[in-house]
Amino acid sequence: MLLSLTPWMYPQVPAANLIRMREMKEASVIATIDQLGREKVAGVYTPRSHWAELAARVARAIGRPHSDPDAIALCHDKLKMRQFLAQNGFTDVAFQAAHSVDEACTFARNLGGSAVLKATGTSGAHGVRLCRTLNEVREHADKLLRKSPGGLLVEEHIQGPLYGVEVTHGKAYGVRHCFVAEGLAPILLGAQAPATMPAEQTDALIAHVQKALALVGYTRGAANVQAVVRDNQPFLIEINPRAPAGTAPANIKAGLGVDIAEFCLRFATGTAEQIQPYQHNKPEHTAVVRSLPRIKGSVRTVSGVEAATAVPHVQEVCVIPALFGRRGPAFNLADRVAYVQSVAKTPQAANDSATASLGKLVQIPESYWHYRLRRWREKLMRRINPRQIR
């Protein structure tokens, strides 16, 4: 059963499996579970960071397996996590809390004039921006503080390749190299699994990540931890207290041989087995996933799927029509309208194949008037049939 505040956003889910929630709070969710029959509920799970703490608290309240909700809350607040780790002797990235624009500018100036500014309680790179000048720092700090007067996080910009360390129960089972677009905001464009790294560098990265997870107490369930390596030294970027989302599950399954979605569901129901920790085995193949960012306007369709699929080594070409209808610049991972995945014996062959396949896909834009008419129809149908299931 899917509990949602906006069930119309999930047309692929049968109406009989949807429950519209008027509020997403612990008491409300537990009350809904009791209406269904608490004994019938095998577990509670969410793939979204925003609801991860709530899901854990509900699961704990009804006696089902769960991650530590307090650890989830700590990881979700980027500032509190940095402060907690620093208080416990874990320091790598220089940071400071800023409660005013002047504070943000002062710290950025101490860092050399550039810094990364982050909202404290968001995920998916929302509110994250690399500010290269003090004017950019001032502008973005003002924007963040208007939305969140409680403060923001100012961090040192660590330049280097980004890696995703995939973890279950506090132990890493794989490392992926993440491809990030350069620009004001980090946009994930793909990943390679497993990452091509020297053994000593991999060991240092995994040890760094596992130490941080142990300190914050997130040692139950799946996690995706992002880190940058500079001069052979790892720097923690963020801890996502959930399974990796977007294109990651397919990439992990193809490249690391782990069905992380199945693990999460089994963990929630108490039937999961620990995944084997990372070992320095020579991989038999490499999986590379590349995503297609949505164009500035909304998309009517994506053509060229047949040609993209015909490229050697391509294992999957996935188009996501549910994400076509948005307008405005693509600032976050939800704006990926398609992805391709290639699997080959060498990283170079897999990367070349995925890049060539992605080049075959063409986005056909939706006209402005068609967009306005469609949006009017959607709002009308939402009023007529809100899919409120009881």
Side-chain angles (χ1 to χ4, degrees):
M1 301 295 296
L2 176 62
L3 278 60
S4 175
L5 296 170
T6 55
W8 53 82
M9 294 180 63
Y10 305 97
Q12 72 277 18
V13 179
N17 298 104
L18 271 169
I19 295 179
R20 183 188 182 190
M21 302 294 292
R22 296 195 178 278
E23 62 176 8
M24 199 69 80
K25 296 182 179 180
E26 184 176 346
S28 302
V29 175
I30 293 174
T32 301
I33 289 175
D34 288 336
Q35 289 178 5
L36 294 170
R38 186 177 295 198
E39 71 284 353
K40 298 178 182 179
V41 176
V44 182
Y45 171 68
T46 178
R48 296 182 179 269
S49 296
H50 187 70
W51 302 119
E53 180 188 353
L54 174 62
R57 294 194 184 282
V58 170
R60 182 174 64 180
I62 67 172
R64 302 298 185 271
H66 58 278
S67 303
D68 184 347
D70 294 329
I72 294 174
L74 181 59
C75 294
H76 189 61
D77 190 307
K78 297 178 175 65
L79 175 57
K80 289 183 179 178
M81 183 195 73
R82 287 286 189 202
Q83 291 172 332
F84 179 86
L85 289 173
Q87 290 168 2
N88 287 274
F90 186 99
T91 56
D92 51 4
V93 179
F95 74 94
Q96 182 172 301
H99 299 88
S100 69
V101 173
D102 288 340
E103 285 184 357
C105 289
T106 299
F107 188 59
R109 187 180 295 109
N110 294 337
L111 293 173
S114 65
V116 177
L117 270 60
K118 298 180 178 181
T120 59
T122 61
S123 61
H126 290 282
V128 177
R129 178 174 173 177
L130 169 59
C131 300
R132 301 182 183 278
T133 67
L134 291 179
N135 285 336
E136 291 180 359
V137 171
R138 183 175 297 278
E139 177 184 347
H140 194 57
D142 181 65
K143 180 180 178 180
L144 292 180
L145 288 170
R146 287 177 185 273
K147 295 181 178 180
S148 179
L152 58 90
L153 176 62
V154 184
E155 287 184 351
E156 170 191 9
H157 177 220
I158 307 296
Q159 290 183 304
L162 178 69
Y163 296 96
V165 182
E166 311 305 341
V167 178
T168 56
H169 298 334
K171 300 296 182 182
Y173 63 86
V175 179
R176 299 187 305 136
H177 182 192
C178 300
F179 309 133
V180 180
E182 295 183 0
L184 298 178
I187 300 178
L188 189 65
L189 295 181
Q192 173 187 311
T196 304
M197 298 175 65
E200 292 183 0
Q201 193 176 91
T202 303
D203 289 341
L205 174 61
I206 289 176
H208 195 68
V209 165
Q210 291 182 169
K211 180 181 179 181
L213 288 170
L215 286 173
V216 299
Y218 191 82
T219 56
R220 292 281 295 161
N224 166 256
V225 184
Q226 294 187 352
V228 169
V229 174
R230 183 182 68 186
D231 298 330
N232 295 325
Q233 181 180 352
F235 294 84
L236 184 73
I237 301 301
E238 67 176 3
I239 299 174
N240 295 305
R242 53 161 173 77
T247 60
N251 188 231
I252 289 171
K253 188 173 183 179
L256 304 179
V258 174
D259 190 334
I260 191 60
E262 181 180 357
F263 170 84
C264 289
L265 292 175
R266 289 188 174 277
F267 168 66
T269 58
T271 60
E273 296 181 0
Q274 168 65 311
I275 296 173
Q276 185 177 11
Y278 179 85
Q279 295 181 338
H280 290 293
N281 297 327
K282 184 178 180 180
E284 297 180 358
H285 58 260
T286 299
V288 171
V289 62
R290 294 277 184 178
S291 298
L292 182 65
R294 180 178 56 82
I295 56 179
K296 186 174 181 179
S298 54
V299 177
R300 180 164 59 86
T301 187
V302 173
S303 64
V305 174
E306 187 174 341
T309 307
V311 174
H313 306 303
V314 171
Q315 185 183 70
E316 180 183 17
V317 177
C318 180
V319 177
I320 313 171
L323 303 180
F324 284 1
R326 307 182 182 206
R327 295 186 80 85
F331 280 134
N332 55 61
L333 187 60
D335 285 309
R336 303 299 170 266
V337 296
Y339 69 85
V340 301
Q341 180 157 254
S342 296
V343 179
K345 290 185 177 181
T346 66
Q348 186 64 48
N351 273 285
D352 290 346
S353 172
T355 302
S357 178
L358 195 68
K360 304 289 185 182
L361 299 178
V362 179
Q363 299 180 68
I364 310 299
E366 179 185 35
S367 70
Y368 174 79
W369 291 110
H370 186 277
Y371 167 78
R372 299 305 306 176
L373 179 60
R374 177 175 58 79
R375 291 290 295 159
W376 177 81
R377 287 175 177 173
E378 289 174 356
K379 290 179 181 179
L380 179 62
M381 292 304 298
R382 195 175 299 165
R383 292 179 181 178
I384 295 174
N385 180 22
R387 298 186 73 173
Q388 182 174 346
I389 314 299
R390 291 298 181 204

PDB file of all heavy atoms in Angstrom, residues 297-332:
ATOM      1  N   GLY A 297      12.489  23.551 -21.685  1.00  0.00           N
ATOM      2  CA  GLY A 297      11.036  23.459 -21.719  1.00  0.00           C
ATOM      3  C   GLY A 297      10.570  22.048 -21.425  1.00  0.00           C
ATOM      4  O   GLY A 297      11.361  21.130 -21.220  1.00  0.00           O
ATOM      5  N   SER A 298       9.259  21.841 -21.400  1.00  0.00           N
ATOM      6  CA  SER A 298       8.721  20.500 -21.182  1.00  0.00           C
ATOM      7  C   SER A 298       8.905  19.665 -22.450  1.00  0.00           C
ATOM      8  O   SER A 298       9.102  20.185 -23.545  1.00  0.00           O
ATOM      9  CB  SER A 298       7.247  20.575 -20.792  1.00  0.00           C
ATOM     10  OG  SER A 298       6.517  21.309 -21.751  1.00  0.00           O
ATOM     11  N   VAL A 299       8.831  18.360 -22.296  1.00  0.00           N
ATOM     12  CA  VAL A 299       9.152  17.423 -23.373  1.00  0.00           C
ATOM     13  C   VAL A 299       7.885  16.696 -23.820  1.00  0.00           C
ATOM     14  O   VAL A 299       7.089  16.256 -22.983  1.00  0.00           O
ATOM     15  CB  VAL A 299      10.206  16.403 -22.899  1.00  0.00           C
ATOM     16  CG1 VAL A 299      10.495  15.365 -23.970  1.00  0.00           C
ATOM     17  CG2 VAL A 299      11.489  17.126 -22.498  1.00  0.00           C
ATOM     18  N   ARG A 300       7.715  16.577 -25.147  1.00  0.00           N
ATOM     19  CA  ARG A 300       6.571  15.820 -25.669  1.00  0.00           C
ATOM     20  C   ARG A 300       6.920  14.349 -25.784  1.00  0.00           C
ATOM     21  O   ARG A 300       6.136  13.485 -25.433  1.00  0.00           O
ATOM     22  CB  ARG A 300       6.156  16.376 -27.027  1.00  0.00           C
ATOM     23  CG  ARG A 300       4.962  15.653 -27.652  1.00  0.00           C
ATOM     24  CD  ARG A 300       4.359  16.473 -28.776  1.00  0.00           C
ATOM     25  NE  ARG A 300       5.309  16.763 -29.829  1.00  0.00           N
ATOM     26  CZ  ARG A 300       5.564  15.945 -30.857  1.00  0.00           C
ATOM     27  NH1 ARG A 300       4.921  14.790 -30.958  1.00  0.00           N
ATOM     28  NH2 ARG A 300       6.443  16.277 -31.786  1.00  0.00           N
ATOM     29  N   THR A 301       8.123  14.054 -26.284  1.00  0.00           N
ATOM     30  CA  THR A 301       8.558  12.663 -26.396  1.00  0.00           C
ATOM     31  C   THR A 301      10.071  12.625 -26.575  1.00  0.00           C
ATOM     32  O   THR A 301      10.717  13.654 -26.801  1.00  0.00           O
ATOM     33  CB  THR A 301       7.877  11.962 -27.587  1.00  0.00           C
ATOM     34  OG1 THR A 301       8.194  10.566 -27.565  1.00  0.00           O
ATOM     35  CG2 THR A 301       8.353  12.557 -28.909  1.00  0.00           C
ATOM     36  N   VAL A 302      10.631  11.436 -26.461  1.00  0.00           N
ATOM     37  CA  VAL A 302      12.055  11.208 -26.716  1.00  0.00           C
ATOM     38  C   VAL A 302      12.146  10.180 -27.835  1.00  0.00           C
ATOM     39  O   VAL A 302      11.625   9.063 -27.713  1.00  0.00           O
ATOM     40  CB  VAL A 302      12.789  10.699 -25.462  1.00  0.00           C
ATOM     41  CG1 VAL A 302      14.223  10.297 -25.808  1.00  0.00           C
ATOM     42  CG2 VAL A 302      12.804  11.772 -24.380  1.00  0.00           C
ATOM     43  N   SER A 303      12.786  10.568 -28.933  1.00  0.00           N
ATOM     44  CA  SER A 303      12.931   9.658 -30.070  1.00  0.00           C
ATOM     45  C   SER A 303      14.332   9.051 -30.091  1.00  0.00           C
ATOM     46  O   SER A 303      15.223   9.483 -29.363  1.00  0.00           O
ATOM     47  CB  SER A 303      12.668  10.413 -31.376  1.00  0.00           C
ATOM     48  OG  SER A 303      13.646  11.418 -31.564  1.00  0.00           O
ATOM     49  N   GLY A 304      14.508   8.051 -30.951  1.00  0.00           N
ATOM     50  CA  GLY A 304      15.811   7.428 -31.121  1.00  0.00           C
ATOM     51  C   GLY A 304      16.082   6.258 -30.191  1.00  0.00           C
ATOM     52  O   GLY A 304      17.225   5.801 -30.095  1.00  0.00           O
ATOM     53  N   VAL A 305      15.050   5.758 -29.525  1.00  0.00           N
ATOM     54  CA  VAL A 305      15.257   4.664 -28.567  1.00  0.00           C
ATOM     55  C   VAL A 305      15.769   3.408 -29.265  1.00  0.00           C
ATOM     56  O   VAL A 305      16.668   2.717 -28.765  1.00  0.00           O
ATOM     57  CB  VAL A 305      13.946   4.371 -27.815  1.00  0.00           C
ATOM     58  CG1 VAL A 305      14.111   3.141 -26.912  1.00  0.00           C
ATOM     59  CG2 VAL A 305      13.527   5.578 -26.984  1.00  0.00           C
ATOM     60  N   GLU A 306      15.214   3.118 -30.438  1.00  0.00           N
ATOM     61  CA  GLU A 306      15.632   1.912 -31.158  1.00  0.00           C
ATOM     62  C   GLU A 306      17.097   1.993 -31.555  1.00  0.00           C
ATOM     63  O   GLU A 306      17.852   1.025 -31.389  1.00  0.00           O
ATOM     64  CB  GLU A 306      14.759   1.735 -32.403  1.00  0.00           C
ATOM     65  CG  GLU A 306      15.005   0.429 -33.133  1.00  0.00           C
ATOM     66  CD  GLU A 306      14.037   0.205 -34.286  1.00  0.00           C
ATOM     67  OE1 GLU A 306      12.971   0.851 -34.296  1.00  0.00           O
ATOM     68  OE2 GLU A 306      14.353  -0.622 -35.166  1.00  0.00           O
ATOM     69  N   ALA A 307      17.525   3.155 -32.034  1.00  0.00           N
ATOM     70  CA  ALA A 307      18.928   3.325 -32.419  1.00  0.00           C
ATOM     71  C   ALA A 307      19.845   3.270 -31.201  1.00  0.00           C
ATOM     72  O   ALA A 307      20.950   2.715 -31.258  1.00  0.00           O
ATOM     73  CB  ALA A 307      19.106   4.655 -33.150  1.00  0.00           C
ATOM     74  N   ALA A 308      19.384   3.842 -30.080  1.00  0.00           N
ATOM     75  CA  ALA A 308      20.186   3.818 -28.856  1.00  0.00           C
ATOM     76  C   ALA A 308      20.347   2.396 -28.333  1.00  0.00           C
ATOM     77  O   ALA A 308      21.414   2.018 -27.834  1.00  0.00           O
ATOM     78  CB  ALA A 308      19.539   4.704 -27.801  1.00  0.00           C
ATOM     79  N   THR A 309      19.295   1.605 -28.455  1.00  0.00           N
ATOM     80  CA  THR A 309      19.339   0.225 -27.978  1.00  0.00           C
ATOM     81  C   THR A 309      20.262  -0.638 -28.833  1.00  0.00           C
ATOM     82  O   THR A 309      20.836  -1.615 -28.349  1.00  0.00           O
ATOM     83  CB  THR A 309      17.918  -0.368 -27.968  1.00  0.00           C
ATOM     84  OG1 THR A 309      17.050   0.495 -27.224  1.00  0.00           O
ATOM     85  CG2 THR A 309      17.889  -1.752 -27.328  1.00  0.00           C
ATOM     86  N   ALA A 310      20.419  -0.267 -30.099  1.00  0.00           N
ATOM     87  CA  ALA A 310      21.219  -1.072 -31.027  1.00  0.00           C
ATOM     88  C   ALA A 310      22.718  -0.888 -30.848  1.00  0.00           C
ATOM     89  O   ALA A 310      23.512  -1.645 -31.419  1.00  0.00           O
ATOM     90  CB  ALA A 310      20.825  -0.730 -32.460  1.00  0.00           C
ATOM     91  N   VAL A 311      23.147   0.084 -30.067  1.00  0.00           N
ATOM     92  CA  VAL A 311      24.578   0.310 -29.837  1.00  0.00           C
ATOM     93  C   VAL A 311      25.164  -0.883 -29.079  1.00  0.00           C
ATOM     94  O   VAL A 311      24.568  -1.356 -28.103  1.00  0.00           O
ATOM     95  CB  VAL A 311      24.802   1.616 -29.044  1.00  0.00           C
ATOM     96  CG1 VAL A 311      26.278   1.781 -28.679  1.00  0.00           C
ATOM     97  CG2 VAL A 311      24.321   2.808 -29.854  1.00  0.00           C
ATOM     98  N   PRO A 312      26.312  -1.406 -29.510  1.00  0.00           N
ATOM     99  CA  PRO A 312      26.912  -2.554 -28.825  1.00  0.00           C
ATOM    100  C   PRO A 312      27.123  -2.309 -27.331  1.00  0.00           C
ATOM    101  O   PRO A 312      27.457  -1.195 -26.920  1.00  0.00           O
ATOM    102  CB  PRO A 312      28.260  -2.736 -29.542  1.00  0.00           C
ATOM    103  CG  PRO A 312      28.029  -2.154 -30.899  1.00  0.00           C
ATOM    104  CD  PRO A 312      27.089  -1.002 -30.701  1.00  0.00           C
ATOM    105  N   HIS A 313      26.907  -3.339 -26.537  1.00  0.00           N
ATOM    106  CA  HIS A 313      27.081  -3.370 -25.081  1.00  0.00           C
ATOM    107  C   HIS A 313      25.950  -2.692 -24.313  1.00  0.00           C
ATOM    108  O   HIS A 313      25.958  -2.712 -23.077  1.00  0.00           O
ATOM    109  CB  HIS A 313      28.408  -2.741 -24.648  1.00  0.00           C
ATOM    110  CG  HIS A 313      29.617  -3.310 -25.314  1.00  0.00           C
ATOM    111  ND1 HIS A 313      29.918  -4.656 -25.263  1.00  0.00           N
ATOM    112  CD2 HIS A 313      30.589  -2.713 -26.066  1.00  0.00           C
ATOM    113  CE1 HIS A 313      31.042  -4.872 -25.938  1.00  0.00           C
ATOM    114  NE2 HIS A 313      31.460  -3.720 -26.437  1.00  0.00           N
ATOM    115  N   VAL A 314      25.001  -2.078 -24.995  1.00  0.00           N
ATOM    116  CA  VAL A 314      23.902  -1.422 -24.294  1.00  0.00           C
ATOM    117  C   VAL A 314      22.965  -2.480 -23.728  1.00  0.00           C
ATOM    118  O   VAL A 314      22.469  -3.353 -24.448  1.00  0.00           O
ATOM    119  CB  VAL A 314      23.123  -0.470 -25.225  1.00  0.00           C
ATOM    120  CG1 VAL A 314      21.852   0.033 -24.532  1.00  0.00           C
ATOM    121  CG2 VAL A 314      24.007   0.709 -25.602  1.00  0.00           C
ATOM    122  N   GLN A 315      22.735  -2.385 -22.437  1.00  0.00           N
ATOM    123  CA  GLN A 315      21.880  -3.348 -21.755  1.00  0.00           C
ATOM    124  C   GLN A 315      20.461  -2.821 -21.573  1.00  0.00           C
ATOM    125  O   GLN A 315      19.497  -3.580 -21.607  1.00  0.00           O
ATOM    126  CB  GLN A 315      22.475  -3.689 -20.384  1.00  0.00           C
ATOM    127  CG  GLN A 315      21.737  -4.773 -19.624  1.00  0.00           C
ATOM    128  CD  GLN A 315      22.336  -4.996 -18.241  1.00  0.00           C
ATOM    129  OE1 GLN A 315      22.223  -4.169 -17.359  1.00  0.00           O
ATOM    130  NE2 GLN A 315      22.990  -6.134 -18.065  1.00  0.00           N
ATOM    131  N   GLU A 316      20.334  -1.501 -21.392  1.00  0.00           N
ATOM    132  CA  GLU A 316      19.023  -0.925 -21.122  1.00  0.00           C
ATOM    133  C   GLU A 316      18.954   0.518 -21.598  1.00  0.00           C
ATOM    134  O   GLU A 316      19.906   1.273 -21.447  1.00  0.00           O
ATOM    135  CB  GLU A 316      18.736  -0.979 -19.612  1.00  0.00           C
ATOM    136  CG  GLU A 316      17.395  -0.408 -19.204  1.00  0.00           C
ATOM    137  CD  GLU A 316      17.186  -0.405 -17.701  1.00  0.00           C
ATOM    138  OE1 GLU A 316      18.190  -0.544 -16.960  1.00  0.00           O
ATOM    139  OE2 GLU A 316      16.037  -0.254 -17.273  1.00  0.00           O
ATOM    140  N   VAL A 317      17.814   0.858 -22.202  1.00  0.00           N
ATOM    141  CA  VAL A 317      17.490   2.241 -22.529  1.00  0.00           C
ATOM    142  C   VAL A 317      16.127   2.519 -21.912  1.00  0.00           C
ATOM    143  O   VAL A 317      15.134   1.886 -22.264  1.00  0.00           O
ATOM    144  CB  VAL A 317      17.448   2.495 -24.049  1.00  0.00           C
ATOM    145  CG1 VAL A 317      17.034   3.934 -24.329  1.00  0.00           C
ATOM    146  CG2 VAL A 317      18.802   2.205 -24.678  1.00  0.00           C
ATOM    147  N   CYS A 318      16.072   3.444 -20.982  1.00  0.00           N
ATOM    148  CA  CYS A 318      14.840   3.711 -20.238  1.00  0.00           C
ATOM    149  C   CYS A 318      14.423   5.163 -20.431  1.00  0.00           C
ATOM    150  O   CYS A 318      15.197   6.076 -20.140  1.00  0.00           O
ATOM    151  CB  CYS A 318      15.032   3.419 -18.756  1.00  0.00           C
ATOM    152  SG  CYS A 318      13.558   3.710 -17.757  1.00  0.00           S
ATOM    153  N   VAL A 319      13.208   5.358 -20.934  1.00  0.00           N
ATOM    154  CA  VAL A 319      12.631   6.685 -21.072  1.00  0.00           C
ATOM    155  C   VAL A 319      11.590   6.857 -19.973  1.00  0.00           C
ATOM    156  O   VAL A 319      10.833   5.926 -19.679  1.00  0.00           O
ATOM    157  CB  VAL A 319      11.988   6.874 -22.460  1.00  0.00           C
ATOM    158  CG1 VAL A 319      11.321   8.233 -22.573  1.00  0.00           C
ATOM    159  CG2 VAL A 319      13.049   6.710 -23.541  1.00  0.00           C
ATOM    160  N   ILE A 320      11.551   8.043 -19.353  1.00  0.00           N
ATOM    161  CA  ILE A 320      10.695   8.277 -18.188  1.00  0.00           C
ATOM    162  C   ILE A 320       9.657   9.344 -18.536  1.00  0.00           C
ATOM    163  O   ILE A 320       9.841  10.533 -18.246  1.00  0.00           O
ATOM    164  CB  ILE A 320      11.532   8.701 -16.971  1.00  0.00           C
ATOM    165  CG1 ILE A 320      12.748   7.780 -16.812  1.00  0.00           C
ATOM    166  CG2 ILE A 320      10.694   8.677 -15.695  1.00  0.00           C
ATOM    167  CD1 ILE A 320      13.748   8.234 -15.784  1.00  0.00           C
ATOM    168  N   PRO A 321       8.544   8.957 -19.164  1.00  0.00           N
ATOM    169  CA  PRO A 321       7.533   9.945 -19.582  1.00  0.00           C
ATOM    170  C   PRO A 321       6.944  10.745 -18.433  1.00  0.00           C
ATOM    171  O   PRO A 321       6.513  11.892 -18.629  1.00  0.00           O
ATOM    172  CB  PRO A 321       6.459   9.070 -20.248  1.00  0.00           C
ATOM    173  CG  PRO A 321       7.168   7.811 -20.637  1.00  0.00           C
ATOM    174  CD  PRO A 321       8.196   7.596 -19.581  1.00  0.00           C
ATOM    175  N   ALA A 322       6.926  10.168 -17.235  1.00  0.00           N
ATOM    176  CA  ALA A 322       6.336  10.878 -16.090  1.00  0.00           C
ATOM    177  C   ALA A 322       7.062  12.177 -15.780  1.00  0.00           C
ATOM    178  O   ALA A 322       6.516  13.057 -15.118  1.00  0.00           O
ATOM    179  CB  ALA A 322       6.328   9.975 -14.861  1.00  0.00           C
ATOM    180  N   LEU A 323       8.295  12.329 -16.276  1.00  0.00           N
ATOM    181  CA  LEU A 323       9.077  13.532 -15.990  1.00  0.00           C
ATOM    182  C   LEU A 323       9.133  14.491 -17.173  1.00  0.00           C
ATOM    183  O   LEU A 323       9.861  15.477 -17.138  1.00  0.00           O
ATOM    184  CB  LEU A 323      10.503  13.137 -15.580  1.00  0.00           C
ATOM    185  CG  LEU A 323      10.611  12.192 -14.381  1.00  0.00           C
ATOM    186  CD1 LEU A 323      12.071  11.882 -14.087  1.00  0.00           C
ATOM    187  CD2 LEU A 323       9.938  12.784 -13.157  1.00  0.00           C
ATOM    188  N   PHE A 324       8.339  14.207 -18.223  1.00  0.00           N
ATOM    189  CA  PHE A 324       8.363  15.068 -19.408  1.00  0.00           C
ATOM    190  C   PHE A 324       7.758  16.442 -19.148  1.00  0.00           C
ATOM    191  O   PHE A 324       8.188  17.426 -19.709  1.00  0.00           O
ATOM    192  CB  PHE A 324       7.563  14.420 -20.548  1.00  0.00           C
ATOM    193  CG  PHE A 324       8.278  13.287 -21.226  1.00  0.00           C
ATOM    194  CD1 PHE A 324       9.530  12.882 -20.825  1.00  0.00           C
ATOM    195  CD2 PHE A 324       7.678  12.620 -22.282  1.00  0.00           C
ATOM    196  CE1 PHE A 324      10.176  11.837 -21.446  1.00  0.00           C
ATOM    197  CE2 PHE A 324       8.310  11.580 -22.915  1.00  0.00           C
ATOM    198  CZ  PHE A 324       9.572  11.183 -22.500  1.00  0.00           C
ATOM    199  N   GLY A 325       6.732  16.500 -18.307  1.00  0.00           N
ATOM    200  CA  GLY A 325       5.865  17.665 -18.272  1.00  0.00           C
ATOM    201  C   GLY A 325       6.314  18.857 -17.472  1.00  0.00           C
ATOM    202  O   GLY A 325       5.538  19.778 -17.257  1.00  0.00           O
ATOM    203  N   ARG A 326       7.538  18.896 -17.010  1.00  0.00           N
ATOM    204  CA  ARG A 326       8.010  20.020 -16.209  1.00  0.00           C
ATOM    205  C   ARG A 326       8.595  21.108 -17.104  1.00  0.00           C
ATOM    206  O   ARG A 326       9.021  20.835 -18.217  1.00  0.00           O
ATOM    207  CB  ARG A 326       9.055  19.541 -15.202  1.00  0.00           C
ATOM    208  CG  ARG A 326       8.559  18.384 -14.360  1.00  0.00           C
ATOM    209  CD  ARG A 326       9.591  17.966 -13.365  1.00  0.00           C
ATOM    210  NE  ARG A 326       9.111  16.818 -12.584  1.00  0.00           N
ATOM    211  CZ  ARG A 326       9.513  16.539 -11.369  1.00  0.00           C
ATOM    212  NH1 ARG A 326      10.386  17.313 -10.769  1.00  0.00           N
ATOM    213  NH2 ARG A 326       9.058  15.485 -10.733  1.00  0.00           N
ATOM    214  N   ARG A 327       8.649  22.331 -16.585  1.00  0.00           N
ATOM    215  CA  ARG A 327       9.252  23.424 -17.330  1.00  0.00           C
ATOM    216  C   ARG A 327      10.281  24.128 -16.444  1.00  0.00           C
ATOM    217  O   ARG A 327      10.261  23.992 -15.231  1.00  0.00           O
ATOM    218  CB  ARG A 327       8.186  24.422 -17.794  1.00  0.00           C
ATOM    219  CG  ARG A 327       7.211  23.815 -18.798  1.00  0.00           C
ATOM    220  CD  ARG A 327       6.260  24.839 -19.361  1.00  0.00           C
ATOM    221  NE  ARG A 327       6.865  25.630 -20.424  1.00  0.00           N
ATOM    222  CZ  ARG A 327       6.906  25.246 -21.700  1.00  0.00           C
ATOM    223  NH1 ARG A 327       6.402  24.088 -22.054  1.00  0.00           N
ATOM    224  NH2 ARG A 327       7.456  26.023 -22.608  1.00  0.00           N
ATOM    225  N   GLY A 328      11.173  24.880 -17.070  1.00  0.00           N
ATOM    226  CA  GLY A 328      12.224  25.526 -16.319  1.00  0.00           C
ATOM    227  C   GLY A 328      13.501  24.716 -16.378  1.00  0.00           C
ATOM    228  O   GLY A 328      13.517  23.579 -16.846  1.00  0.00           O
ATOM    229  N   PRO A 329      14.601  25.277 -15.914  1.00  0.00           N
ATOM    230  CA  PRO A 329      15.891  24.588 -15.994  1.00  0.00           C
ATOM    231  C   PRO A 329      15.948  23.340 -15.120  1.00  0.00           C
ATOM    232  O   PRO A 329      15.259  23.233 -14.116  1.00  0.00           O
ATOM    233  CB  PRO A 329      16.887  25.655 -15.498  1.00  0.00           C
ATOM    234  CG  PRO A 329      16.054  26.570 -14.662  1.00  0.00           C
ATOM    235  CD  PRO A 329      14.705  26.597 -15.287  1.00  0.00           C
ATOM    236  N   ALA A 330      16.754  22.388 -15.543  1.00  0.00           N
ATOM    237  CA  ALA A 330      16.885  21.126 -14.819  1.00  0.00           C
ATOM    238  C   ALA A 330      17.879  21.289 -13.683  1.00  0.00           C
ATOM    239  O   ALA A 330      19.083  21.270 -13.879  1.00  0.00           O
ATOM    240  CB  ALA A 330      17.352  20.032 -15.766  1.00  0.00           C
ATOM    241  N   PHE A 331      17.364  21.474 -12.468  1.00  0.00           N
ATOM    242  CA  PHE A 331      18.234  21.735 -11.325  1.00  0.00           C
ATOM    243  C   PHE A 331      18.498  20.486 -10.485  1.00  0.00           C
ATOM    244  O   PHE A 331      19.354  20.481  -9.630  1.00  0.00           O
ATOM    245  CB  PHE A 331      17.606  22.796 -10.429  1.00  0.00           C
ATOM    246  CG  PHE A 331      17.806  24.195 -10.931  1.00  0.00           C
ATOM    247  CD1 PHE A 331      16.759  25.083 -10.968  1.00  0.00           C
ATOM    248  CD2 PHE A 331      19.042  24.607 -11.373  1.00  0.00           C
ATOM    249  CE1 PHE A 331      16.941  26.377 -11.420  1.00  0.00           C
ATOM    250  CE2 PHE A 331      19.234  25.896 -11.836  1.00  0.00           C
ATOM    251  CZ  PHE A 331      18.184  26.777 -11.865  1.00  0.00           C
ATOM    252  N   ASN A 332      17.699  19.429 -10.670  1.00  0.00           N
ATOM    253  CA  ASN A 332      17.858  18.295  -9.772  1.00  0.00           C
ATOM    254  C   ASN A 332      17.694  16.982 -10.499  1.00  0.00           C
ATOM    255  O   ASN A 332      17.364  16.929 -11.684  1.00  0.00           O
ATOM    256  CB  ASN A 332      16.868  18.393  -8.608  1.00  0.00           C
ATOM    257  CG  ASN A 332      15.440  18.518  -9.096  1.00  0.00           C
ATOM    258  OD1 ASN A 332      14.953  17.638  -9.769  1.00  0.00           O
ATOM    259  ND2 ASN A 332      14.787  19.618  -8.775  1.00  0.00           N
TER     260      ASN A 332
END
